[in-house]
Amino acid sequence: MARRPTGSISRLRLPVLIALAIGTHVAFVIGWNKAPAPAPEFRTALAAVVAEPKATSEAALLPGERYIASNRFAVREGAEAAFEQRWAQRKSSLLTLPGFRWFSLMRRVATEGSDPPDDYSYISFTIWETKKDFNFWRKGPAFKEAHGGGGIMDFLGMIVSGFMTSKGPPKPFFWEGLAPVASADSQRLLSGPGGRPEADGKTLLDPEVFVATKRFNVAKGREEDFEKFWSERGDSQGTGFRFSQLLRRDQVPDDNCNYLGVTVWDDRAAFEKSTGMDDAGDMLAGQPMTLLYEGKLVLESEAGP
């Protein structure tokens, strides 16, 4: 029996990828100024990224002071450095955009006594001042620049690279940022997407910050109580603290997480010296879950997060 050619992409797969890229490129151009319908799992990363989030704000809750757009990535084992290289060398003009506050590519690290709840080993995390600012970015040329540029070959390269490093398209999640607290002493970080052209795709990038997140499933009807509880919490903000926010989901949750606590530190040592928040008790419909990340390619505006 004849053997198929070996290599990173077989001859049979390459035409399929080219056809997929061309078809997606055409669909992307046609739907540039339209809000797309929810994409099934096999759709491309672009369809997922531009999915319109569902607003959930209510008058009784805390006002949203930020808007967070994020993507979850299931990166293939052994392809982590190549995945980071894509971000380290991609084009980006985030700092020039109105309302941009903060960005990081985050790599999940082990949490003692807890198994990962899913395969999403990386997330991108962008803080905007308002939802309007986020929508301005995703409908404008800066979005196109960050996702393959204007040429079909650039776009094809992005698709092939994503196929080689990820198990599927990214899955977006959107949040309103509540009660932001930031240190006035933190040194501004400015690497960001495209800020590490020396990345070789073989060695993981050094972390620039350490991010502690806590996932909450707040019981229906207890949202107002929980937000008040969070805003009055007594979290430590000692040496190495950078900022914290409570995030309220701005879409129907797909993972039993309607709130997310996020705290960013200079490094893991600073985080481990901090004290945690008190138990939220009967406000929750399940046990909270802590997930920890190394933040890389951090980019901060002059205004900070």
Side-chain angles (χ1 to χ4, degrees):
M1 179 181 294
R3 297 178 58 190
R4 291 184 178 179
T6 58
S8 58
I9 303 177
S10 73
R11 292 178 183 174
L12 291 177
R13 285 183 176 179
L14 187 56
V16 174
L17 285 172
I18 293 174
L20 174 62
I22 293 173
T24 307
H25 182 74
V26 171
F28 176 63
V29 172
I30 292 173
W32 181 258
N33 290 315
K34 299 179 181 179
E41 284 298 314
F42 60 84
R43 294 277 179 88
T44 65
L46 283 170
V49 171
V50 302
E52 184 70 35
K54 179 181 178 181
T56 58
S57 298
E58 297 179 18
L61 302 178
L62 291 177
E65 299 184 57
R66 302 285 189 272
Y67 196 79
I68 291 84
S70 186
N71 266 303
R72 295 160 283 182
F73 300 89
V75 175
R76 297 179 186 274
E77 186 175 354
E80 294 88 352
F83 178 80
E84 292 182 6
Q85 182 187 37
R86 286 175 52 203
W87 287 85
Q89 297 181 353
R90 76 190 303 176
K91 296 178 181 179
S92 173
S93 54
L94 281 174
L95 275 181
T96 70
L97 298 176
F100 168 75
R101 303 295 294 249
W102 195 85
F103 170 87
S104 178
L105 178 68
M106 302 180 187
R107 175 178 174 263
R108 191 163 65 193
V109 297
T111 305
E112 185 176 354
S114 177
D115 293 327
D118 50 51
D119 289 336
Y120 298 122
S121 51
Y122 281 82
I123 63 174
S124 63
F125 193 91
T126 311
I127 301 176
W128 300 92
E129 193 151 329
T130 67
K131 185 174 181 176
K132 182 178 178 181
D133 294 323
F134 162 68
N135 282 326
F136 176 84
W137 167 78
R138 78 171 183 87
K139 294 179 180 180
F143 176 89
K144 188 176 181 181
E145 174 191 58
H147 294 86
I152 185 63
M153 294 310 297
D154 290 335
F155 187 78
L156 174 59
M158 182 196 72
I159 293 293
V160 173
S161 178
F163 175 82
M164 296 301 298
T165 59
S166 301
K167 298 177 184 178
K171 198 162 192 177
F173 54 167
F174 302 95
W175 311 84
E176 292 178 294
L178 316 175
V181 177
S183 168
D185 302 324
S186 297
Q187 183 177 0
R188 187 181 175 195
L189 299 173
L190 291 170
S191 62
R196 298 287 299 276
E198 76 281 6
D200 60 10
K202 300 177 182 178
T203 306
L204 292 176
L205 298 172
D206 291 333
E208 299 172 33
V209 295
F210 192 79
V211 184
T213 71
K214 201 158 192 175
R215 298 167 54 152
F216 300 100
N217 184 10
V218 177
K220 188 173 179 58
R222 301 302 306 275
E223 295 89 352
E224 186 177 354
D225 294 335
F226 179 76
E227 291 182 12
K228 184 173 185 279
F229 165 77
W230 173 274
S231 64
E232 296 176 352
R233 76 197 189 286
D235 266 5
S236 169
Q237 296 177 15
T239 302
F241 170 81
R242 298 185 71 89
F243 73 89
S244 68
Q245 289 185 31
L246 176 65
L247 309 188
R248 179 172 61 216
R249 202 69 172 257
D250 191 35
Q251 64 187 152
V252 177
D254 58 6
D255 53 7
N256 293 320
C257 173
N258 53 7
Y259 282 85
L260 184 72
V262 176
T263 308
V264 179
W265 304 85
D266 283 339
D267 50 41
R268 186 163 191 160
F271 159 71
E272 290 177 345
K273 292 177 183 176
S274 67
T275 58
M277 65 183 291
D278 295 332
D279 186 3
D282 62 357
M283 289 180 278
L284 304 182
Q287 288 296 318
M289 175 178 290
T290 298
L291 295 177
L292 305 177
Y293 297 87
E294 293 178 338
K296 310 182 182 191
L297 302 174
V298 177
L299 184 63
E300 299 174 317
S301 71
E302 289 186 9

